[in-house]
Amino acid sequence: MNNKRKYILLFLAPAFCIYTLFMVYPLVESIRLSFFKTVNNGDLIFVGWANFEKMLTDPLWYNQFLNGLKNNFYFFFIHMIIQNPLGLLFASLISMRFLRASNFYRTMLFLPTLLSFVLVGFIWKLIISPLWGITENFLIFFGLGDWFQPWLGLPETALVTVALISVWQFIGIPMMLFYAALINIPDEIIDAGYCDGLSGWSIFWKIKIPLLFPTIGIISILTFVGNFNAFDLIYVMQGAIAGPAFSTDILGTFFYRTFFGFQLQPGDPNLGAVLASMMFFIILTGVCIYLFLIQTRFKRYQL
Amino acid sequence: MIFKTVQTTGTQSRFNEAIAHIVLMSYTLFCLFPIILIVINSFKTKRGIFNEPLQFPNFKTFSLDGYHTVLTQGNFGLYFFNSISVTTVSIVLIILLGSMAAYALSEYRFIGNSLLSLYFAIGIMIPIRLGTIAILKLVVSLKLINTLSALILVYIAQGLPLAIFILNEFMRTISSEIKDAARVDGLSEMSIFFKIIVPIMRPSIATVMVFSMIPIWNDLWFPLILASGDKVKTITLGAQQFMGQYVTDWTSILAVLSLAIFPVLLLYMLFSKQIIRGITAGSVK
């Protein structure tokens, strides 16, 4: 018995210590810091909810926060209506029975996911750059020359452009998860549908989609957590100021600027902690909605 | 009746297959085009890049100037080495510590077992970046700022939750008879773990490896904040800063991009089977 306890400790302790020290403690400490103020000599003074009040009422901060939050939801929205449906489309095509070269397509569609944000950001920045003119000439070739604009430079189009580039990069993930779920649907169910005279289209909508609900749920929550934690692509393409005119600013870039400061505004660790706490709360809310409201309803569809 | 349905779906499916190929092929081109474009233009002179961007380099436009600048001006060899060491050490430790913890959680019944599993699972959903402010303070107080160890410790903490979750699920499926037989034979718990459990676990270890490797190799956030010194830069951060400085020197930028794509492509070709299998196996559960 004593022996067993020794092994439990030996096996668990290293993982537990590193995880607690470098992940759980910092998260808790960040939330704690959001209730304090750092004074000149580096001491912390407890200020209660004052930092939160400042973030949510002081126009200097409030407007930026609201703008970041709005943009972040928009960023998420683009991923939900473009990335995930396209991922499902490609997964359904690739999982078609007897489709040749399905391995090849799967590999190719997953390729951009492996490239780093730095690569993806710069590659697309060059390709849609008006300086190089690749995209412009492409559009002219198809008679759509008028469509071309310096998308990244215009406040109205910059966020959509960055979001679509992020979709290009990450479409492999929903595609792969949908694919795994689709090949897991037993052939007998599909055959039974055909025997009952259903068309391929109605088999997709009436049999496959209901069976995919749990996967759709998981992909949605993964997209949500990923998007509300996003930073790198926007930092690489538009810098920490998330220009033009903060039109691509999301919570991640706002958090970075608040914490480290930029240009004339000095960094403020406590207001940064406030933002981290609020992002924590937003993500937690999303995860809870998924766990308690959505996931429990999908259970009955499981095979 | 059944025969008839099968036949009609047969002819229909040929048409559907053609459409599927057209859609998938177009999207494949869309995935590959940007990458190919960057690589072919990195071998050209500036004039060639701007005048005929879609052409392969010919004897008039061929040039290695970009590569020359990159290899003489940047510390890319060092950055590359840093990235490799950070990623390798982190992955090895994630797998070692993660599988040990998963073994304890799945093998032994003790008070607080399920609570501990839940404690580790929280980290799958909550991004570690939200703790950055406190992580930076902690790293400074441990005197680990601007070291690769700081990055490694953070990446281990970041990778452990998912690793423990996946490995735990898998370990529960291993029958207890094997382990009991080994115990009767007098093997210690340590040797049961290393000689019996770890070898059986190979497929799910591959899954964990793939899932943890990509975000570590490509991370920009923590290198930027914890290790931005020139000696400890990772390739991702190094490339980002190089491109920030040489923003108008297109030949060099294209060369850096191509050099940075190459290791990923190589890795992908080596592991592509494993990656696909890992992802499909991990989610099938």
Side-chain angles (χ1 to χ4, degrees), chain B residues 3 70 103 124 129 149 164 175 190-191 193 214-215 259:
Chain B
F3 178 64
V70 172
Y103 182 66
I124 301 176
R129 282 182 187 181
S149 319
I164 293 176
S175 83
M190 267 297 176
S191 26
F193 175 72
I214 303 170
L259 282 176

mmCIF file of all heavy atoms in Angstrom, chain B residues 3 70 103 124 129 149 164 175 190-191 193 214-215 259:
data_model
loop_
_atom_site.group_PDB
_atom_site.id
_atom_site.type_symbol
_atom_site.label_atom_id
_atom_site.label_comp_id
_atom_site.label_asym_id
_atom_site.label_seq_id
_atom_site.Cartn_x
_atom_site.Cartn_y
_atom_site.Cartn_z
ATOM 1 N N PHE B 3 -30.955 -4.142 -56.358
ATOM 2 C CA PHE B 3 -29.992 -4.145 -57.460
ATOM 3 C C PHE B 3 -30.086 -2.856 -58.268
ATOM 4 O O PHE B 3 -29.096 -2.233 -58.605
ATOM 5 C CB PHE B 3 -30.265 -5.368 -58.339
ATOM 6 C CG PHE B 3 -29.361 -5.453 -59.528
ATOM 7 C CD1 PHE B 3 -27.982 -5.613 -59.362
ATOM 8 C CD2 PHE B 3 -29.879 -5.342 -60.812
ATOM 9 C CE1 PHE B 3 -27.158 -5.664 -60.457
ATOM 10 C CE2 PHE B 3 -29.043 -5.399 -61.908
ATOM 11 C CZ PHE B 3 -27.683 -5.560 -61.740
ATOM 12 N N VAL B 70 20.692 36.724 -46.775
ATOM 13 C CA VAL B 70 20.136 36.059 -45.600
ATOM 14 C C VAL B 70 21.212 35.290 -44.856
ATOM 15 O O VAL B 70 21.344 35.391 -43.635
ATOM 16 C CB VAL B 70 19.022 35.090 -46.037
ATOM 17 C CG1 VAL B 70 18.576 34.254 -44.861
ATOM 18 C CG2 VAL B 70 17.873 35.858 -46.619
ATOM 19 N N TYR B 103 -0.468 7.400 -16.674
ATOM 20 C CA TYR B 103 -0.412 6.035 -16.133
ATOM 21 C C TYR B 103 -0.903 6.018 -14.687
ATOM 22 O O TYR B 103 -1.717 5.169 -14.309
ATOM 23 C CB TYR B 103 1.025 5.513 -16.224
ATOM 24 C CG TYR B 103 1.182 4.092 -15.737
ATOM 25 C CD1 TYR B 103 0.574 3.041 -16.420
ATOM 26 C CD2 TYR B 103 1.929 3.800 -14.604
ATOM 27 C CE1 TYR B 103 0.707 1.740 -15.985
ATOM 28 C CE2 TYR B 103 2.072 2.497 -14.161
ATOM 29 C CZ TYR B 103 1.461 1.464 -14.845
ATOM 30 O OH TYR B 103 1.585 0.176 -14.411
ATOM 31 N N ILE B 124 -6.794 22.162 -21.335
ATOM 32 C CA ILE B 124 -7.035 21.940 -22.765
ATOM 33 C C ILE B 124 -7.802 23.116 -23.344
ATOM 34 O O ILE B 124 -7.576 23.532 -24.466
ATOM 35 C CB ILE B 124 -7.833 20.635 -22.995
ATOM 36 C CG1 ILE B 124 -7.058 19.452 -22.418
ATOM 37 C CG2 ILE B 124 -8.116 20.422 -24.467
ATOM 38 C CD1 ILE B 124 -7.799 18.142 -22.513
ATOM 39 N N ARG B 129 -1.704 31.585 -22.709
ATOM 40 C CA ARG B 129 -1.302 32.964 -22.949
ATOM 41 C C ARG B 129 -1.940 33.962 -22.007
ATOM 42 O O ARG B 129 -1.407 35.034 -21.768
ATOM 43 C CB ARG B 129 -1.700 33.372 -24.362
ATOM 44 C CG ARG B 129 -0.764 32.840 -25.375
ATOM 45 C CD ARG B 129 -1.186 33.310 -26.713
ATOM 46 N NE ARG B 129 -0.359 32.644 -27.701
ATOM 47 C CZ ARG B 129 -0.454 32.855 -28.979
ATOM 48 N NH1 ARG B 129 -1.349 33.705 -29.425
ATOM 49 N NH2 ARG B 129 0.327 32.241 -29.804
ATOM 50 N N SER B 149 15.402 27.564 -21.598
ATOM 51 C CA SER B 149 14.706 26.785 -20.557
ATOM 52 C C SER B 149 13.349 27.382 -20.235
ATOM 53 O O SER B 149 12.385 26.644 -19.988
ATOM 54 C CB SER B 149 15.516 26.736 -19.266
ATOM 55 O OG SER B 149 16.864 26.561 -19.549
ATOM 56 N N ILE B 164 -1.921 14.368 -21.479
ATOM 57 C CA ILE B 164 -2.448 13.509 -20.422
ATOM 58 C C ILE B 164 -3.839 12.998 -20.793
ATOM 59 O O ILE B 164 -4.152 11.823 -20.624
ATOM 60 C CB ILE B 164 -2.475 14.263 -19.071
ATOM 61 C CG1 ILE B 164 -1.043 14.529 -18.615
ATOM 62 C CG2 ILE B 164 -3.236 13.477 -18.014
ATOM 63 C CD1 ILE B 164 -0.929 15.352 -17.360
ATOM 64 N N SER B 175 -5.564 -3.914 -21.175
ATOM 65 C CA SER B 175 -6.145 -4.847 -20.197
ATOM 66 C C SER B 175 -5.231 -4.974 -18.984
ATOM 67 O O SER B 175 -4.009 -4.917 -19.090
ATOM 68 C CB SER B 175 -6.357 -6.216 -20.822
ATOM 69 O OG SER B 175 -5.150 -6.941 -20.772
ATOM 70 N N MET B 190 8.023 0.640 -12.101
ATOM 71 C CA MET B 190 8.803 1.412 -13.076
ATOM 72 C C MET B 190 9.041 0.610 -14.349
ATOM 73 O O MET B 190 8.869 1.090 -15.453
ATOM 74 C CB MET B 190 10.157 1.806 -12.472
ATOM 75 C CG MET B 190 10.171 3.161 -11.823
ATOM 76 S SD MET B 190 9.842 4.443 -13.031
ATOM 77 C CE MET B 190 9.806 5.865 -11.982
ATOM 78 N N SER B 191 9.460 -0.644 -14.189
ATOM 79 C CA SER B 191 9.763 -1.409 -15.398
ATOM 80 C C SER B 191 8.496 -1.824 -16.122
ATOM 81 O O SER B 191 8.504 -1.955 -17.342
ATOM 82 C CB SER B 191 10.668 -2.597 -15.124
ATOM 83 O OG SER B 191 10.548 -3.041 -13.819
ATOM 84 N N PHE B 193 5.978 0.129 -16.434
ATOM 85 C CA PHE B 193 5.654 1.323 -17.203
ATOM 86 C C PHE B 193 6.541 1.432 -18.449
ATOM 87 O O PHE B 193 6.051 1.599 -19.563
ATOM 88 C CB PHE B 193 5.804 2.565 -16.321
ATOM 89 C CG PHE B 193 5.599 3.849 -17.056
ATOM 90 C CD1 PHE B 193 4.344 4.228 -17.479
ATOM 91 C CD2 PHE B 193 6.682 4.666 -17.350
ATOM 92 C CE1 PHE B 193 4.158 5.407 -18.175
ATOM 93 C CE2 PHE B 193 6.500 5.849 -18.052
ATOM 94 C CZ PHE B 193 5.237 6.214 -18.464
ATOM 95 N N ILE B 214 3.363 21.190 -33.593
ATOM 96 C CA ILE B 214 3.054 22.307 -34.493
ATOM 97 C C ILE B 214 2.961 23.639 -33.744
ATOM 98 O O ILE B 214 3.621 24.605 -34.129
ATOM 99 C CB ILE B 214 1.781 22.019 -35.319
ATOM 100 C CG1 ILE B 214 1.960 20.730 -36.102
ATOM 101 C CG2 ILE B 214 1.471 23.168 -36.259
ATOM 102 C CD1 ILE B 214 0.701 20.227 -36.765
ATOM 103 N N PRO B 215 2.168 23.726 -32.657
ATOM 104 C CA PRO B 215 2.103 25.036 -31.981
ATOM 105 C C PRO B 215 3.431 25.471 -31.354
ATOM 106 O O PRO B 215 3.694 26.666 -31.258
ATOM 107 C CB PRO B 215 1.030 24.848 -30.905
ATOM 108 C CG PRO B 215 0.802 23.405 -30.795
ATOM 109 C CD PRO B 215 1.215 22.774 -32.064
ATOM 110 N N LEU B 259 13.463 29.521 -47.203
ATOM 111 C CA LEU B 259 14.284 28.740 -46.271
ATOM 112 C C LEU B 259 13.448 28.244 -45.104
ATOM 113 O O LEU B 259 13.662 27.148 -44.587
ATOM 114 C CB LEU B 259 15.441 29.589 -45.737
ATOM 115 C CG LEU B 259 16.619 29.784 -46.677
ATOM 116 C CD1 LEU B 259 17.637 30.717 -46.049
ATOM 117 C CD2 LEU B 259 17.265 28.444 -47.004
#
